[in-house]
Amino acid sequence: MQTNSDKSPAGVRFPPALVGVAVGIGGVGATLTLAGIDSPLRAPFTLFFLLTAPASALGGALRGLDGAARAVLAGVGALALDLLVAQAMLSWQMWSVRGGVSAVGALSLVLFLSVRLLSVRQARARRRRHARSSPRTTSSPRTTSSPRMANSHRTPHARSSLRTTSSQG
């Protein structure tokens, strides 16, 4: 029986070894196809690459969803991207297996990098907002903490008069 407290967090994390194996299999599949090497592993590894590369990139963009919804939408999006690439290449009469793998890989890389860039920008904006909203307990590095240093451009006579007025108050 599942209760509300049994829900998994939105960010599902895979073990690094599993991620490494998946990247390796996809990389081998893409390499075998792009190099034109005949191997019994070429077809399944290339298919694995064509499904996981765009799904991984799309999964990064869908961070707000829970694990199951994120996986389903990333898989459907990967299939849609593969079909759109194939349809575009066929309609322009440029279809080739190498070209399809290259196009899917390039689109996945662009999507992945744009998601990463967007998350870095959002994190910077959050930090700036947090820094502005939280009260400052220390002085800023641009402002000086003593009147003597703040008025160092004045003449010695003006500084001494400033010291006497500040010590009296």
Side-chain angles (χ1 to χ4, degrees):
M1 183 167 126
Q2 181 180 9
T3 63
N4 287 340
S5 62
D6 291 338
K7 290 187 177 181
S8 64
V12 176
R13 298 271 182 199
F14 293 107
L18 183 64
V19 173
V21 168
V23 168
I25 290 172
V28 167
T31 303
L32 289 173
T33 300
L34 293 174
I37 299 171
D38 287 330
S39 169
L41 298 176
R42 178 178 166 179
F45 283 13
T46 301
L47 180 62
F48 186 80
F49 171 78
L50 289 173
L51 292 176
T52 57
S56 299
L58 288 169
L62 300 171
R63 287 192 182 147
L65 300 175
D66 69 337
R70 187 173 165 185
V72 168
L73 288 175
V76 169
L79 286 173
L81 182 73
D82 290 342
L83 290 173
L84 286 172
V85 166
Q87 179 66 35
M89 291 181 77
L90 285 171
S91 66
W92 294 328
Q93 299 176 356
M94 296 174 46
W95 172 251
S96 73
V97 176
R98 289 180 185 165
V101 169
S102 299
V104 168
L107 288 173
S108 298
L109 182 64
V110 166
L111 181 61
F112 176 76
L113 292 177
S114 65
V115 167
R116 296 296 289 176
L117 180 64
L118 182 64
S119 68
V120 166
R121 284 186 179 182
Q122 287 174 344
R124 283 184 186 164
R126 253 185 268 121
R127 273 186 262 140
R128 262 190 246 123
R129 258 185 276 126
H130 180 67
R132 275 190 235 137
S133 66
S134 66
R136 294 190 178 184
T137 57
T138 61
S139 64
S140 166
R142 292 186 186 173
T143 61
T144 56
S145 58
S146 75
R148 184 174 185 180
M149 290 182 71
N151 298 314
S152 61
H153 63 280
R154 296 185 185 183
T155 62
H157 176 69
R159 273 187 269 154
S160 64
S161 67
L162 181 65
R163 253 185 262 129
T164 58
T165 57
S166 65
S167 63
Q168 292 172 355

